[in-house]
Amino acid sequence: MKRLIAAVILAMAVAYASAESYVPREGEVKFTMLQSTEDQAIHEVRSTPFTKHAYSYYETIDLDAAKPMHDFLGIGVSMTDATCWLLSQIDKDKRHSFFKQVFTKEGYNLSIVRLNCGASDYATELYNYNDTKGDVGMKHFSVARDEKYIIPIIKALKGYCPHLYTFSSIWSAPGWMKDSGEMCGGSLLDEHLPSFANYWAAYVKAYKERGINIDAITIQNEPLTDQRGGCPATLISTEQEALLAGKYIPQAFKKAGVDTNIWIHDHNYKAYERVIELVKNKQVTRNIDAIAWHPYNGNTPEVMHEVRKYAPNIDMHLTERGPNLTKLDEQDVKWWAETIFGALNNGCRSYSSWNLVLDADGQPNVGKHPCGGLFTIDIEKESFTESIQAKLFRQFSPYVDRGAKILSIAEQKHLRSIAFQNPNGDYVVCVVAKNIPNKRQSFQIKCRGEYKLVSLPLNTWSMTTIIIENNK
């Protein structure tokens, strides 16, 4: 009897081991599955193979029917003055280890950085590069302040990500260009549209001379609000932005000898009708390369399809959305998937978070908003804690190459998903599930006429990435 029990146990052990270590045979779909849950960081999950048999009960991600939509540029983050100052305060080796994790495929594979032309609301102080009233020619323009820690840190990032894409946004022109006379609040004066363009050109040129190429600028961060004077901000009308995009900035860039791309809007989906008005202007569309979006005040990325009717060949990017310290419970894993995947699935080539690092209280901050960092830094311990948003970046960004195609797939009822096809032909599918207590959530993938059922872990949120090799 004891021998029989031992034999049964041995047989079960062998069967289990075989299932765990299953290797697809010649001609079968080869894949890797990675998963994260509330209790476990990303890890490889062994799984059963694709088969010819399908389930009619489960929702299907059909890669055979998926169509390529647009190219993927990458995932990014803002290197604000606040972020750079915090990072300058820690040990060089700790900073090196952090950058290696964030900006290489060994970790999160962020490949885009957003800079700030002057102070944003996340800075150690209010500042700009030329407070000399009436200096239209920018003779007194200087980025000397940035040379202390911002420029050295940005230059260092190239060592981790040689193909780093860099764009910059402005929160406020110098006060003398505005009707308020201040950086916090007020509108750009029509008479200083050329000055504003020259200010941008001087900034791009100064950074280029210091070894940092600014690939693109957004003309004005959130041009439809002056934040009631609560932080650096500038109101710019639709007519003013059209003149800046279609005339003054291209002229200033040409004169300065820079070929930086111009992105318009840099504000909420909600204001899409303003964007349509801008892209109907042929002078604007001749000179811009992209439209920048934010998802505040309503996450409605589908409005990009309305804009696309008038601007079919202009790129789109989501340029800012990070954690809110007052809404961390609301901003769960499904919420982030809806925000990030929603932007990419509806037309954006990239998604950029807000501050790379802030402390636990969202500092330094010269404004009024309660934002958190993509990572929270503990200066005393010189340590970093990742946000839920960072966990989601980690789940798919390292496996998707620049130039991958974002694929059209059917939306699932309870799950949130995105699919890519890399330039080498590999598929990358990421599926996010919210915790529904005591309910098993599952889906199936169809690829090359075969099906794979994926059953997700019980009683936890989960992120699942399936990488399917090109078998050609």
Side-chain angles (χ1 to χ4, degrees), residues 167-404:
F167 74 99
S168 188
S169 304
I170 191 169
W171 271 247
S172 179
W176 56 269
M177 296 185 192
K178 300 162 66 176
D179 61 3
S180 64
E182 305 289 344
M183 289 187 65
C184 294
S187 300
L188 187 65
L189 293 167
D190 286 341
E191 66 195 77
H192 282 307
L193 292 177
S195 305
F196 185 74
N198 291 339
Y199 186 81
W200 258 126
Y203 168 81
V204 173
K205 185 177 180 181
Y207 263 63
K208 186 176 182 179
E209 290 170 349
R210 288 157 179 79
I212 299 173
N213 185 60
I214 306 294
D215 295 292
I217 66 159
T218 69
I219 292 175
Q220 171 64 47
N221 177 71
E222 300 183 346
L224 294 172
T225 178
D226 71 349
Q227 300 292 350
R228 299 180 181 177
C231 65
T234 305
L235 286 166
I236 290 183
S237 70
T238 307
E239 293 75 20
Q240 287 177 321
E241 187 160 13
L243 285 168
L244 287 166
K247 179 180 178 183
Y248 292 114
I249 292 178
Q251 288 177 350
F253 280 4
K254 184 177 181 180
K255 186 176 180 180
V258 297
D259 58 358
T260 296
N261 293 334
I262 299 169
W263 298 357
I264 59 169
H265 191 52
D266 209 15
H267 210 163
N268 294 330
Y269 295 136
K270 188 177 180 180
Y272 74 95
E273 290 178 340
R274 176 182 186 274
V275 182
I276 290 174
E277 188 175 343
L278 282 168
V279 298
K280 282 183 175 179
N281 184 321
K282 291 183 179 179
Q283 192 65 22
V284 170
T285 54
R286 273 197 292 266
N287 287 284
I288 67 170
D289 297 272
I291 300 161
W293 299 96
H294 295 183
Y296 303 109
N297 295 332
N299 182 28
T300 55
E302 59 273 8
V303 302
M304 288 188 280
H305 296 290
E306 292 300 313
V307 176
R308 182 68 71 197
K309 294 175 183 177
Y310 301 91
N313 300 314
I314 295 176
D315 288 341
M316 299 188 186
H317 302 274
L318 194 140
T319 52
E320 181 190 309
R321 189 42 154 144
N324 183 318
L325 294 177
T326 67
K327 297 182 179 180
L328 295 181
D329 290 338
E330 173 189 329
Q331 294 179 342
D332 60 12
V333 63
K334 185 180 178 184
W335 188 94
W336 278 117
E338 288 171 348
T339 303
I340 297 167
F341 296 173
L344 297 173
N345 281 331
N346 282 281
C348 286
R349 292 188 60 206
S350 70
Y351 181 104
S352 291
S353 182
W354 196 191
N355 300 270
L356 174 61
V357 300
L358 292 173
D359 71 15
D361 193 42
Q363 300 292 332
N365 182 353
V366 296
K368 60 180 184 174
H369 299 295
C371 299
L374 183 63
F375 295 85
T376 298
I377 187 171
D378 185 321
I379 288 289
E380 298 302 318
K381 295 180 180 178
E382 297 190 320
S383 62
F384 302 88
T385 303
E386 65 178 355
S387 63
I388 291 289
Q389 186 186 37
K391 289 178 188 288
L392 183 50
F393 288 165
R394 177 68 181 85
Q395 190 67 36
F396 73 92
S397 181
Y399 315 106
V400 184
D401 297 330
R402 180 165 292 172

Side-chain angles (χ1 to χ4, degrees), residues 85-227:
W85 180 81
L86 287 166
L87 291 169
S88 74
Q89 303 302 300
I90 65 172
D91 177 75
K92 183 174 69 173
D93 291 338
K94 294 285 181 68
R95 192 164 61 240
H96 163 72
S97 297
F98 179 64
F99 284 164
K100 189 175 181 181
Q101 269 292 104
V102 173
F103 293 100
T104 74
K105 287 201 169 191
E106 292 181 27
Y108 300 82
N109 194 36
L110 301 194
S111 59
I112 300 171
V113 293
R114 183 193 195 199
L115 306 182
N116 301 162
C117 178
S120 70
D121 42 338
Y122 284 87
T124 55
E125 62 179 339
L126 297 175
Y127 68 93
N128 64 69
Y129 304 117
N130 189 354
D131 259 334
T132 305
K133 187 174 182 179
D135 185 12
V136 177
M138 298 297 129
K139 293 180 181 179
H140 296 91
F141 185 96
S142 173
V143 295
R145 184 190 182 282
D146 291 6
E147 292 179 315
K148 296 175 184 177
Y149 50 83
I150 295 177
I151 287 174
I153 283 177
I154 302 307
K155 289 180 72 174
L157 296 183
K158 278 282 189 179
Y160 302 91
C161 182
H163 59 286
L164 189 71
Y165 191 94
T166 304
F167 74 99
S168 188
S169 304
I170 191 169
W171 271 247
S172 179
W176 56 269
M177 296 185 192
K178 300 162 66 176
D179 61 3
S180 64
E182 305 289 344
M183 289 187 65
C184 294
S187 300
L188 187 65
L189 293 167
D190 286 341
E191 66 195 77
H192 282 307
L193 292 177
S195 305
F196 185 74
N198 291 339
Y199 186 81
W200 258 126
Y203 168 81
V204 173
K205 185 177 180 181
Y207 263 63
K208 186 176 182 179
E209 290 170 349
R210 288 157 179 79
I212 299 173
N213 185 60
I214 306 294
D215 295 292
I217 66 159
T218 69
I219 292 175
Q220 171 64 47
N221 177 71
E222 300 183 346
L224 294 172
T225 178
D226 71 349
Q227 300 292 350

